[in-house]
Amino acid sequence: MLGEVVNLRALSVYVRLVDLLDIADDRTPYALWKFVAPRDPTAKMEWAKHAALQPITCPKYQSGRIILVDGGTDNHEVYAALEDLRIWCEDQLRGCNDTLARMNDDRHRLDIFHIHWRVVPRGFKPVSIQFEFDRARMFDILGDEIYQGDPYVFLRELLQNSIDAIRTRRAVLERNGIAPAVFGAIHVNVEHGQDGDAVVTWQDDGIGMDEFVVRNYLAIAGKSYYHSEAFEREGLNIDPISRFGIGILSCFMVADALHIDTFRDPYLPGDGQPLRIKIPAPKKQFRIETRPVETASPGTTVKVFVKGEKLPRESAKEGGKEAGKPKPLDVTKYLSIVAGFVEFPIVITEGDRKTIVLHPYQDAEAAAVRFDADFEVHQLDLSYPWEKVFLPQDLHAAREVFEVHTLDMRDDLGLEGYEGKLLRFLPRPGVDLQRMSATEASAYRLADADAEEVRVRYYHANDLDRPGEQLARSARRGFTASVYRDGILLPNASVPAWLTPPGGRGGVPSRMVVNLPKSETPRVDLARTMIRTADLSWDAPIRSNFLQRYFDAQIANLCSLDPSERLLATARVAAYDLISVEELFDRFPKERWPILEISPDGDFRPIDVGSLDDRPLYSAPIELGKFLESSLRRYSRVADVDRSIMARWKGGSFCVPESYFNLFLLGDVVCSITRAAMF
């Protein structure tokens, strides 16, 4: 009204402090207390706390003032509650001063920095005890129990911090109408020394930090800036990865010291002063100095001084003559695995290797031009790893017998926010296979007895890498399912049962490589290795869309076949194509469902359920069903089954129920006839 500019944030801080420090007995007059006569224990304690204190004073102290609180009580519970109040008031004053300091305006700064608390216990000895934490033991728990001694996990934690920081700065710039042509990158430089020592320099062009963030979040374990009120007040539309505020501590699993250079983006409130932070050890004070603004760019650089003595040792089997020496870090390989779907390029210089880890959907040529043509671009391979499954001498034959059908998570399955591929491993059309064994090196051959044998290297296929090739726990990639979230690998995500190879031990697995959107998946555990909620399947949307969009479109094709061809086709679907007979039956027109009728003279006749009309078709007698099951298992085709027992059968036509019959039409191809399909 008067044309004056008002700083509402500063006024809010002042009002907050006035209300906070109005804690004396004049806030709760005796007459009012007597009239209200509170009975609730919490209310009675609040009145008792105020009654024990005198109004505050603010005497001068050095170049400013202090807040002096006097009072006394003869109740030990009130005294303990007042100690809690003291800690709360000190924390609030510190936060208010930090908020005012971040405005970078001397007109709004307070000259009050300390609360001097003089509450006297009367008639008892005060004992103030609260939970404290053994800092050294907490680091042991962090390394051994949470991260399970994984020496590489600090790289993943730095990666998460950089992703959050870059996303935050991007949102801030967009809010201010700025759209940089080239923005968002992570640079990693690794200098290897003797005996496993290394210096890892990690740099991003993210939002950066100021003293407020360093003091209240970086230095406090378990307190994440991205889940704080200060961050929420910015109103940025991002969903941060960071949750617990312990990531920076993981660096001390492999290092004794850290150096951090950081500069908060000027578009966010703060003192705008670049900082250089040296942390000589987890138990020691930070060394903080300011740097000239002219020499700094927004972002953060973390230098980790890795000590070889903190790394795992080479075993006699792995290292030979080098057994007992520390295993040097392979930062390039680790990030190439773990950062598979990270949206920002990661530029790594490690010795003579120069690598850009790039999102698989991004342009590799553009990245090479942006950074340096000398860098090799690595992108997550979304194709089927044939060489991991088949022996080299059988690889050519396998490609002639099998094929891979690829479905994109977004384009083919319609899953918004999902990235990756579903790779369905199938026999080529018209190929009939017979499994030869269920040993460790399972083998398939064509149904023709003279056909070439095709062997499978890993019937179990639990991991994409064999044990000797695995780098770290946090870099373990599942073969059947490699699961990422926010672009970063979840090494222990559960494998969906529907991806398990049919036929049990000898089946060749399909494969899924997927990056899950955070908004659609449950929380992960503290170590960020697995999805926490056991009763909520992370793969449910994928499975649902797969069935709806793909198989529903195939039903019309199946229904157009004659009953004999349809029975064979449904058997192939159930055996190879990631769908069970029950799921297919649920989506099938019931009158078109194929079943196998066996006549008294031993003829096998595929028919539709709808063709039965009102004619009943009974299940086979128990003993006859068992015989047929045993007989069919010995042959690759129905035509070869021994029908001599049928000559003694005096009953009518029947079908074989699911409980006794598995039709091995294609060697391992199982077509279960459900009871529900018979009538």
Side-chain angles (χ1 to χ4, degrees):
M1 184 172 63
L2 299 177
E4 297 289 337
V5 177
V6 177
N7 190 322
L8 293 179
R9 181 174 293 184
L11 287 176
S12 298
V13 171
Y14 302 149
V15 172
R16 170 65 182 141
L17 285 175
V18 169
D19 180 67
L20 173 72
L21 298 172
D22 185 13
I23 55 178
D25 55 358
D26 56 356
R27 180 165 182 162
T28 57
Y30 175 79
L32 181 60
W33 172 81
K34 186 175 181 180
F35 176 78
V36 173
R39 295 183 180 182
D40 179 77
T42 301
K44 291 175 68 175
M45 176 59 71
E46 292 302 312
W47 285 78
K49 284 159 54 179
H50 290 300
L53 300 177
Q54 300 175 15
I56 67 166
T57 58
C58 296
K60 291 184 178 181
Y61 180 78
Q62 296 182 355
S63 59
R65 295 174 295 164
I66 63 171
I67 296 172
L68 185 60
V69 180
D70 283 304
T73 179
D74 57 5
N75 186 312
H76 68 94
E77 291 191 16
V78 174
Y79 183 86
L82 288 171
E83 279 293 291
D84 293 335
L85 178 61
R86 174 184 63 80
I87 296 171
W88 169 249
C89 289
E90 289 175 348
D91 180 71
Q92 292 295 297
L93 177 63
R94 183 165 52 249
C96 288
N97 272 318
D98 283 334
T99 300
L100 294 173
R102 295 177 71 198
M103 297 177 189
N104 201 23
D105 189 336
D106 290 338
R107 294 177 300 174
H108 302 301
R109 295 184 186 272
L110 291 175
D111 60 352
I112 301 174
F113 304 102
H114 174 64
I115 297 177
H116 188 48
W117 199 269
R118 299 192 307 195
V119 177
V120 179
R122 295 193 292 263
F124 66 94
K125 179 181 178 181
V127 179
S128 296
I129 299 176
Q130 67 181 67
F131 283 111
E132 303 289 348
F133 296 95
D134 184 330
R135 194 175 303 179
R137 180 56 184 150
M138 288 298 293
F139 278 101
D140 291 340
I141 293 173
L142 183 71
D144 296 337
E145 303 298 332
I146 298 177
Y147 294 132
Q148 299 180 338
D150 188 342
Y152 283 88
V153 78
F154 80 99
L155 297 169
R156 189 195 66 193
E157 297 297 322
L158 290 174
L159 176 62
Q160 293 177 183
N161 290 344
S162 290
I163 293 171
D164 282 341
I166 296 173
R167 288 176 176 173
T168 300
R169 187 175 176 218
R170 180 175 61 190
V172 169
L173 294 176
E174 290 174 351
R175 185 177 64 184
N176 287 275
I178 302 172
V182 178
F183 171 73
I186 299 167
H187 292 262
V188 184
N189 184 70
V190 185
E191 302 173 48
H192 288 283
Q194 298 294 321
D195 299 324
D197 289 356
V199 179
V200 179
T201 304
W202 189 285
Q203 180 182 12
D204 65 56
D205 56 354
I207 198 64
M209 296 180 288
D210 59 9
E211 184 179 342
F212 171 80
V213 175
V214 172
R215 181 187 304 277
N216 291 280
Y217 301 102
L218 179 69
I220 300 178
K223 192 176 180 182
S224 171
Y225 168 68
Y226 295 103
H227 289 269
S228 67
E229 294 181 2
F231 180 78
E232 291 177 359
R233 283 196 298 267
E234 299 298 336
L236 302 174
N237 186 25
I238 72 167
D239 190 3
I241 304 173
S242 173
R243 291 177 54 220
F244 302 112
I246 60 175
I248 197 67
L249 299 182
S250 64
C251 295
F252 291 105
M253 292 172 56
V254 296
D256 288 335
L258 303 179
H259 290 178
I260 303 173
D261 286 340
T262 187
F263 179 32
R264 183 82 159 173
D265 189 289
Y267 283 100
L268 278 180
D271 56 19
Q273 194 69 39
L275 300 176
R276 173 160 292 164
I277 307 164
K278 295 182 180 180
I279 310 175
K283 298 180 181 180
K284 295 185 178 180
Q285 291 286 317
F286 291 10
R287 277 68 165 163
I288 301 179
E289 59 180 302
T290 58
R291 296 186 296 134
V293 175
E294 297 78 14
T295 62
S297 298
T300 299
T301 300
V302 180
K303 186 172 288 189
V304 184
F305 297 89
V306 177
K307 305 292 290 183
E309 62 192 37
K310 292 191 172 187
L311 299 178
R313 303 280 169 169
E314 297 276 6
S315 67
K317 182 178 180 180
E318 295 171 328
K321 294 181 180 180
E322 301 297 319
K325 286 192 174 183
K327 293 181 182 179
L329 293 174
D330 191 339
V331 175
T332 303
K333 181 178 179 181
Y334 179 80
L335 292 176
S336 298
I337 295 172
V338 171
F341 284 94
V342 172
E343 61 181 303
F344 307 111
I346 305 172
V347 184
I348 310 169
T349 302
E350 185 171 14
D352 296 332
R353 288 185 291 176
K354 294 184 175 181
T355 309
I356 301 173
V357 177
L358 195 66
H359 189 288
Y361 292 171
Q362 293 178 355
D363 188 343
E365 293 185 3
V369 171
R370 175 182 172 185
F371 297 103
D372 193 326
D374 292 337
F375 280 81
E376 176 185 355
V377 177
H378 173 86
Q379 293 175 289
L380 185 65
D381 188 359
L382 299 181
S383 63
Y384 193 86
W386 292 76
E387 69 285 352
K388 296 285 187 180
V389 176
F390 297 99
L391 295 172
Q393 60 268 33
D394 295 324
L395 192 55
H396 177 72
R399 290 184 181 274
E400 291 186 342
V401 173
F402 295 103
E403 63 184 5
V404 174
H405 292 190
T406 302
L407 296 174
D408 185 85
M409 292 290 167
R410 184 187 62 187
D411 297 340
D412 297 317
L413 299 182
L415 291 163
E416 289 298 326
Y418 287 75
E419 297 175 311
K421 308 285 185 182
L422 176 60
L423 308 164
R424 296 158 44 243
F425 192 86
L426 306 170
R428 291 186 179 275
V431 173
D432 291 351
L433 295 175
Q434 183 176 10
R435 181 157 60 93
M436 300 302 298
S437 67
T439 60
E440 183 172 350
S442 298
Y444 284 84
R445 66 173 173 83
L446 298 177
D448 183 351
D450 297 327
E452 185 176 3
E453 183 176 287
V454 179
R455 284 165 290 186
V456 181
R457 179 182 294 176
Y458 299 123
Y459 70 87
H460 55 285
N462 290 329
D463 298 309
L464 191 62
D465 301 315
R466 289 179 291 179
E469 300 172 346
Q470 292 176 4
L471 191 64
R473 291 177 181 270
S474 55
R476 178 184 174 186
R477 297 176 290 175
F479 184 97
T480 307
S482 289
V483 184
Y484 295 74
R485 196 179 79 156
D486 284 312
I488 302 174
L489 181 67
L490 289 176
N492 295 328
S494 58
V495 177
W498 56 277
L499 283 175
T500 303
R505 292 165 55 86
V508 179
S510 292
R511 175 165 164 76
M512 179 163 58
V513 185
V514 59
N515 183 37
L516 305 173
K518 185 176 179 181
S519 58
E520 297 294 329
T521 53
R523 290 185 175 183
V524 298
D525 64 337
L526 187 58
R528 207 183 187 282
T529 62
M530 65 179 66
I531 296 171
R532 287 174 54 187
T533 310
D535 59 349
L536 181 61
S537 298
W538 60 264
D539 61 297
I542 301 173
R543 181 63 169 163
S544 175
N545 282 34
F546 172 64
L547 294 175
Q548 179 181 353
R549 286 178 171 257
Y550 178 70
F551 276 108
D552 286 356
Q554 303 304 311
I555 289 177
N557 295 333
L558 292 172
C559 288
S560 67
L561 303 174
D562 64 50
S564 179
E565 292 176 332
R566 195 179 318 131
L567 182 62
L568 289 169
T570 53
R572 289 179 66 93
V573 167
Y576 292 115
D577 217 354
L578 307 182
I579 185 170
S580 67
V581 171
E582 290 77 16
E583 289 172 320
L584 191 58
F585 178 74
D586 287 342
R587 288 167 167 74
F588 223 86
K590 301 304 180 285
E591 69 279 1
R592 303 291 287 167
W593 182 253
I595 58 175
L596 192 63
E597 181 181 23
I598 305 177
S599 66
D601 57 3
D603 287 337
F604 292 76
R605 187 167 71 97
I607 62 173
D608 291 336
V609 170
S611 67
L612 293 174
D613 297 325
D614 295 330
R615 175 171 64 92
L617 185 64
Y618 299 104
S619 300
I622 293 177
E623 294 303 322
L624 184 58
K626 288 182 177 180
F627 169 81
L628 287 172
E629 180 183 11
S630 174
S631 179
L632 287 168
R633 284 183 182 275
R634 298 199 298 269
Y635 300 94
S636 62
R637 294 187 179 276
V638 172
D640 299 327
V641 174
D642 181 8
R643 292 177 170 80
S644 60
I645 192 174
M646 296 301 300
R648 300 192 297 274
W649 175 245
K650 303 302 181 181
S653 298
F654 62 89
C655 70
V656 181
E658 179 186 5
S659 54
Y660 302 119
F661 177 58
N662 287 322
L663 179 59
F664 282 67
L665 293 169
L666 306 171
D668 265 359
V669 177
V670 181
C671 179
S672 299
I673 307 299
T674 64
R675 288 184 182 275
M678 299 173 194
F679 305 103

